[in-house]
Amino acid sequence: MDPDSVKSTLSNLAFGNVMAAAARDYQKEVLAQEKAQSSSSVNQDIDLDELMDDPELEKLHADRIAALKKEAEKRQALKRQGHGEYREISEGDFLGEVTGSEKVICHFYHREFYRCKIMDKHLKSLAPRHVDTKFLKLDAENAPFFITKLGIKTLPCVILFRNGIASDRLVGFQDLGGKDDFSTKTLEGLLLKKGIIKENKAEEDDDDSYANRNRSVRSSINPDSDSD
């Protein structure tokens, strides 16, 4: 037999053995990976089952449900006290309303004053979003006793009460830029700063929405009736 032919045949056999060995090793590796993935999946199922039965997680879940229920009950109780809406009251109701809640905002207004109507619109928008605080309005002409007692000389006048005590006030629009076109968000920010309302992240209106409301206010009210 030709020596070169023998050498070529042996070389081909050796290459074939190497490829066969490589194929077997690859197959083993693939099987090993599939087994590992299967094992990991089983372990994951076990871990999830264990988590579902974890008493600490169950307690956290129960505590969360209890907290939500308590908050809902609190909101319902506040609404029964007149929170969540912007309401008009009489002079005879004033003391009971102001002393009946921890935080109260009361707008003393005049029916013919343009700026009082602007303040009305903004407070009406804020009341449903800040249920922790009671929002009221009182006609100044029909409340001479408290107008005198509280030293109210300029309208609109918004007085902030804490536990029945007048703690602060907004006179006219001097704290709101001094102009009629301030936004509800601006008023909300001022009331937040004074601590009479709490920040409410669940319900936020963007600036465009506030601007639209303001345009609606300006277009629906006759500015010639303004008087301070």
Side-chain angles (χ1 to χ4, degrees), residues 147 150-155 157 169 171 228:
I147 290 294
L150 293 168
I152 297 173
K153 300 182 183 300
T154 301
L155 300 178
C157 181
R169 66 181 62 195
V171 179
D228 285 346

Side-chain angles (χ1 to χ4, degrees), residues 107-119 140-141 147 152-158 170-175 178-180 182 223-228:
H107 173 208
F108 290 83
Y109 77 101
H110 190 288
R111 294 183 183 277
E112 300 300 324
F113 289 4
Y114 172 60
R115 285 190 163 185
C116 290
K117 295 175 183 179
I118 293 175
M119 183 62 75
E141 283 192 320
I147 290 294
I152 297 173
K153 300 182 183 300
T154 301
L155 300 178
C157 181
V158 178
L170 309 181
V171 179
F173 293 168
Q174 63 186 26
D175 294 325
K179 298 181 179 180
D180 296 352
F182 67 91
D224 295 335
S225 65
D226 188 17
S227 175
D228 285 346

Side-chain angles (χ1 to χ4, degrees), residues 55-73:
E56 291 187 7
L57 285 179
E58 289 183 1
K59 184 178 184 303
L60 287 174
H61 179 67
D63 290 346
R64 177 61 176 162
I65 295 298
L68 290 173
K69 183 179 179 181
K70 184 176 180 180
E71 181 65 23
E73 290 174 349

Side-chain angles (χ1 to χ4, degrees), residues 120-160:
D120 269 345
K121 293 289 184 180
H122 293 307
L123 292 175
K124 185 177 181 180
S125 175
L126 291 174
R129 301 207 301 271
H130 297 280
V131 180
D132 285 343
T133 302
K134 183 185 288 183
F135 286 74
L136 305 172
K137 60 187 294 188
L138 181 57
D139 188 340
E141 283 192 320
N142 296 325
F145 178 81
F146 289 110
I147 290 294
T148 301
K149 284 293 183 181
L150 293 168
I152 297 173
K153 300 182 183 300
T154 301
L155 300 178
C157 181
V158 178
I159 299 186
L160 316 180

Side-chain angles (χ1 to χ4, degrees), residues 24-39:
R24 287 194 300 272
D25 291 343
Y26 176 75
Q27 187 176 16
K28 288 180 180 179
E29 184 175 348
V30 170
L31 290 172
Q33 289 179 354
E34 290 178 350
K35 185 177 180 181
Q37 290 177 355
S38 176
S39 176

